[in-house]
Amino acid sequence: MEPVALPLGRPREERADAARNRAHLIEVAREMVAELGADKVTMDGLADRAGLGKGTVFRRFRTRAGIFHALLDEEEIRFQQEVMSGPPPLGPGAPASERLVAFGRARLEFLVRHVVLARASLDPGQPVVANESPSLFHVQMLLAEACPDDALSGTLALQLVAALEGPILLYLQSQDDAPDLDHVVENLISSWRVLVERVCG
């Protein structure tokens, strides 16, 4: 049975006014990122542009990085829906190893599309907790099907997700000025396929 995607940070229940404020802040923040760039978006600037009190913005996001984390969560929800209910091989219906390869490709393409948000969502004052990655649950599920003995402890999934997400963001940052970023990404996707085939072969 296909598991249901886990919620990604949004409260289970919100008052109507809080939900409206949240949607408004997310939309305004998205506009500011598109117009000004992520580095120019501040808590005070978002409050001013949204026409809301600074306390409302701080309660909602807590830190500047929280703004980008919320924006990324919106994109994560869409991505997880594709993973859980989209067509195969990314979605259900293909062998687990093929789905794992497809997941890596889709995830790398997702990171490239949203690399600015992903970087900005990292709070330098907080540790990055690898086992809270939204990818971990899905990778663990596919590994449990493809190679159950190796996947039993859960550490293999953690190592694969760490290889797929953390260092990739740093690597892509160093490739921002590369003449052919698409070629760089295709090489990463090919390497992911080799890694999965070696692990699950």
Side-chain angles (χ1 to χ4, degrees):
M1 183 175 69
E2 193 73 19
V4 177
L6 299 177
L8 299 174
R10 184 179 297 183
R12 290 183 180 179
E13 295 182 7
E14 289 182 302
R15 298 190 321 271
D17 60 336
R20 283 194 300 272
N21 282 345
R22 180 187 186 284
H24 179 54
L25 284 168
I26 290 291
E27 185 57 33
V28 172
R30 186 178 289 115
E31 291 172 359
M32 291 178 72
V33 170
E35 179 184 330
L36 305 173
D39 59 326
K40 298 292 195 301
V41 177
T42 65
M43 301 282 271
D44 288 349
L46 177 58
D48 289 343
R49 185 145 170 178
L52 295 171
K54 294 177 184 178
T56 300
V57 176
F58 276 84
R59 281 192 300 274
R60 169 57 63 184
F61 300 121
R62 299 186 181 274
T63 66
R64 179 178 176 275
I67 298 171
F68 306 105
H69 194 276
L71 288 172
L72 195 59
D73 268 0
E74 295 285 309
E75 303 302 327
E76 284 281 8
I77 290 168
R78 296 187 186 95
F79 178 75
Q80 293 296 330
Q81 287 170 344
E82 292 176 16
V83 168
M84 291 301 181
S85 58
L90 180 60
S97 58
E98 290 182 21
R99 291 192 68 192
L100 196 53
V101 170
F103 177 79
R105 168 181 283 275
R107 190 65 186 171
L108 285 163
E109 291 171 346
F110 174 89
L111 290 173
V112 171
R113 285 197 307 274
H114 303 295
V115 68
V116 171
L117 291 182
R119 288 179 196 148
S121 70
L122 298 175
D123 189 339
Q126 297 295 325
V128 177
V129 184
N131 63 5
E132 291 182 1
S133 165
S135 300
L136 184 59
F137 174 75
H138 188 65
V139 170
Q140 175 66 41
M141 178 194 72
L142 294 177
L143 283 174
E145 183 180 338
C147 47
D149 292 340
D150 294 329
L152 193 60
S153 69
T155 55
L156 179 58
L158 186 63
Q159 287 175 313
L160 285 176
V161 168
L164 182 62
E165 295 189 347
I168 294 300
L169 287 175
L170 296 175
Y171 180 71
L172 289 174
Q173 185 171 15
S174 71
Q175 301 295 317
D176 278 346
D177 298 326
D180 189 357
L181 185 58
D182 289 341
H183 181 67
V184 171
V185 174
E186 282 302 318
N187 282 342
L188 289 169
I189 290 169
S190 295
S191 297
W192 173 257
R193 175 185 291 276
V194 170
L195 182 60
V196 170
E197 288 175 350
R198 297 281 175 84
V199 167
C200 298

